[in-house]
Amino acid sequence: MSRSRAPTGTGPTQRWHILSVALVVSFISLFDLSVITVMLPSIDRALGVGNGAVQWVVSGYSLMFALALVPAGRLGDAKGRRYVLLLGLALFVGASTMAGLADSGTTLVVARLLHGAAAGVLVPQITALVEELFRPGERGRPFGVLGATTSVATAVGPVLGGLIIAVGGAENGWRLVFLINVPVGMVTAVLIWRLFPTKPVDSRTSHRPDLIGTLLLGAGILLVILPALQRERWTGLLPWLLVPVGIGVLVAFRSWETSTLRRHPPVFDFRLLTHRTYRLGLLLGFLYYAGFTSLPVIFSFHLQYGLHRSPLHTGLTIAPFAIGSAIGALLGGRNVDRYGRPLLAIGLAIVMASLTMMMALTGLHGTTFSIANAFPLLLAGIGSGLVITPNNTLTLQQVPRADAGSAAGMYRTMRQVGSAIGLAMITATLLAAVAANDGRWPTALRYALAVEVGIVAAALLTSLVDILGSRRHGRKRAS
């Protein structure tokens, strides 16, 4: 396995300066994924987009995010992080401008698709930078800071979004949320131009683009996710036949990648799956993101549509989750080397306990509901941080440096696919339960939370299997 080494000329201080700028990129990318939650009613009133367009405004970002991650990671391996980050930021700023000035639902959906693609280009470069700039024994702290940034950006989006809408007004406040990205993105691009290395870490490696592999991967993911995203428009069972077709395309993707390995580097090297920690880390990431990502969404729906609360009130209600996520991510980053895989199981158990507490509180109304859920949401955030950051570190621990970008890209792709599928399943459960129970939102929220508990339980089982397998492997090596 290749040893990690920093690019020439990057000392300890320079590395942290680079990482600080990269964290800004990570924040704005994931902030735009979460902030849309509290913006939907305002967008609907301003543009009259309808349920179908609203679904694509939310899910189109996640879909394009997932499709871009792996090829973007490989592109960063080939061309260097500086080049790809500048390319992604240019697309991100352009999409933000387009979204902020949108005068129709169609324009906004197109802007959100471009937004997601830009975020998918940007995000894998950040994880790969940690792999490239820091040696394995030094990665706990930077991954902890990265995890805290990720958790805060994901969870604080509704809070800041609600505040900006309150300041800017229901008619135009949502536009300000998008347009704020423009100056932030431009300043960040200047800093990347000045601080980041101009060449890939290993410029001696040939990286011929694998266009066929890229197309097969994108088509397979799209076919698997599309029926879930279009569930409100495509009724019946026939559209779900696209799922096995998509799985077949992904099998073809694996065959192509295996056969092309001798000719040039593939989009994803399936030999990475021989590492047990990477393989199980992918599965755990998929399951956990399928379970937890929808939590702010279903709370926002319940508060705004069920309890008729404002975007600001909704954001403040979810704020404890943001605080807990930051605390958990920092704790996880600092302690992952000390406790290892059991830390994941502890975090998952905490999340399950907090979700169970929330289920018991669904019958409350008004401000009482928000106050009573403050502690469970804080607890859920802490548990989430203890899962996301350590799993990020442990999953990529055995990945060779030359494959850091594509490995990180596939890891995040699995998380985003899980997020998109889980979001579709759980919001569908919520809305179907509202319709089936005469508009009783507390009952619907309870059902949606129960689905989340089940998915997180599957993630906990995966974590326990990983722990037991690691211990058996350790005993065999000792003997």
Side-chain angles (χ1 to χ4, degrees):
M1 184 176 67
S2 302
R3 289 179 59 86
S4 175
R5 61 183 177 85
T8 303
T10 53
T13 302
Q14 180 75 357
R15 284 184 290 168
W16 279 100
H17 286 166
I18 292 173
L19 183 61
S20 298
V21 176
L23 292 177
V24 176
V25 176
S26 179
F27 183 90
I28 62 174
S29 301
L30 296 170
F31 173 80
D32 266 54
L33 180 60
S34 63
V35 71
I36 197 69
T37 303
V38 298
M39 296 164 62
L40 293 177
S42 298
I43 291 173
D44 194 12
R45 285 191 296 268
L47 300 180
V49 294
N51 290 336
V54 164
Q55 178 65 35
W56 275 99
V57 167
V58 177
S59 302
Y61 188 102
S62 296
L63 175 62
M64 295 303 294
F65 198 152
L67 293 177
L69 282 167
V70 173
R74 180 56 76 188
L75 182 63
D77 292 338
K79 300 295 185 180
R81 308 302 164 195
R82 180 177 184 255
Y83 170 84
V84 179
L85 283 169
L86 290 172
L87 176 66
L89 275 174
L91 181 59
F92 193 82
V93 168
S96 296
T97 304
M98 185 178 180
L101 302 178
D103 58 358
S104 68
T106 301
T107 303
L108 183 59
V109 168
V110 172
R112 287 294 289 176
L113 292 175
L114 294 174
H115 245 155
V121 171
L122 294 169
V123 168
Q125 315 309 324
I126 313 304
T127 306
L129 270 172
V130 176
E131 293 283 311
E132 294 172 357
L133 294 175
F134 298 89
R135 295 181 177 86
E138 302 171 336
R139 293 174 186 163
R141 184 183 171 199
F143 269 135
V145 177
L146 176 60
T149 303
T150 301
S151 298
V152 170
T154 302
V156 83
V159 181
L160 295 182
L163 182 61
I164 293 171
I165 291 173
V167 172
E171 184 68 25
N172 294 309
W174 63 273
R175 297 183 185 276
L176 294 177
V177 177
F178 290 126
L179 294 175
I180 284 174
N181 289 329
V182 176
V184 175
M186 294 176 68
V187 171
T188 304
V190 171
L191 292 174
I192 289 173
W193 180 267
R194 294 186 62 183
L195 293 176
F196 280 50
T198 56
K199 295 181 180 180
V201 174
D202 191 354
S203 57
R204 298 168 299 175
T205 303
S206 173
H207 292 280
R208 179 183 170 188
D210 181 10
L211 297 179
I212 295 177
T214 300
L215 291 173
L216 286 172
L217 176 62
I221 292 174
L222 181 63
L223 290 170
V224 169
I225 295 179
L226 198 56
L229 298 184
Q230 287 288 88
R231 67 190 184 279
E232 293 185 2
R233 291 187 173 185
W234 295 354
T235 58
L237 296 177
L238 187 61
W240 292 95
L241 293 178
L242 291 176
V243 174
V245 174
I247 293 173
V249 173
L250 291 175
V251 171
F253 165 69
R254 176 170 184 174
S255 298
W256 170 262
E257 294 297 277
T258 302
S259 66
T260 196
L261 186 61
R262 295 180 180 179
R263 296 193 296 272
H264 54 79
V267 174
F268 177 72
D269 189 346
F270 277 87
R271 292 178 299 182
L272 291 171
L273 295 180
T274 60
H275 300 298
R276 185 180 54 81
T277 55
Y278 184 72
R279 185 171 64 247
L280 288 175
L282 290 182
L283 178 58
L284 195 150
F286 172 85
L287 290 171
Y288 186 65
Y289 268 71
F292 107 97
T293 305
S294 60
L295 181 61
V297 177
I298 61 175
F299 258 72
S300 180
F301 280 13
H302 178 69
L303 286 161
Q304 293 194 68
Y305 292 110
L307 301 181
H308 308 291
R309 297 289 150 172
S310 69
L312 180 57
H313 180 99
T314 300
L316 292 174
T317 299
I318 303 173
F321 184 74
I323 297 170
S325 296
I327 294 172
L330 290 172
L331 290 174
R334 291 176 180 175
N335 293 287
V336 61
D337 293 330
R338 181 178 181 184
Y339 296 106
R341 291 168 184 82
L343 199 60
L344 300 176
I346 293 172
L348 290 165
I350 291 173
V351 172
M352 283 189 64
S354 63
L355 291 174
T356 304
M357 293 170 64
M358 293 177 207
M359 289 176 63
L361 299 172
T362 53
L364 300 176
H365 298 281
T367 305
T368 304
F369 174 86
S370 299
I371 294 173
N373 276 284
F375 177 70
L377 284 167
L378 177 69
L379 201 62
I382 292 173
S384 180
L386 292 177
V387 174
I388 294 174
T389 300
N391 191 52
N392 191 56
T393 302
L394 295 171
T395 300
L396 299 174
Q397 202 169 48
Q398 297 180 359
V399 172
R401 174 179 50 80
D403 293 312
S406 59
M410 180 59 79
Y411 173 63
R412 288 189 175 274
T413 297
M414 289 295 290
R415 297 195 325 188
Q416 285 304 122
V417 170
S419 175
I421 293 175
L423 184 61
M425 288 174 51
I426 294 168
T427 54
T429 300
L430 179 74
L431 298 176
V434 170
N437 290 275
D438 300 322
R440 290 198 291 271
W441 280 88
T443 302
L445 181 61
R446 192 178 306 118
Y447 287 157
L449 287 170
V451 176
E452 288 196 355
V453 169
I455 298 174
V456 174
L460 177 58
L461 179 61
T462 301
S463 178
L464 294 175
V465 169
D466 189 15
I467 292 171
L468 293 175
S470 178
R471 290 179 177 176
R472 284 197 299 267
H473 181 70
R475 285 196 294 266
K476 286 182 181 179
R477 291 185 63 182
S479 60

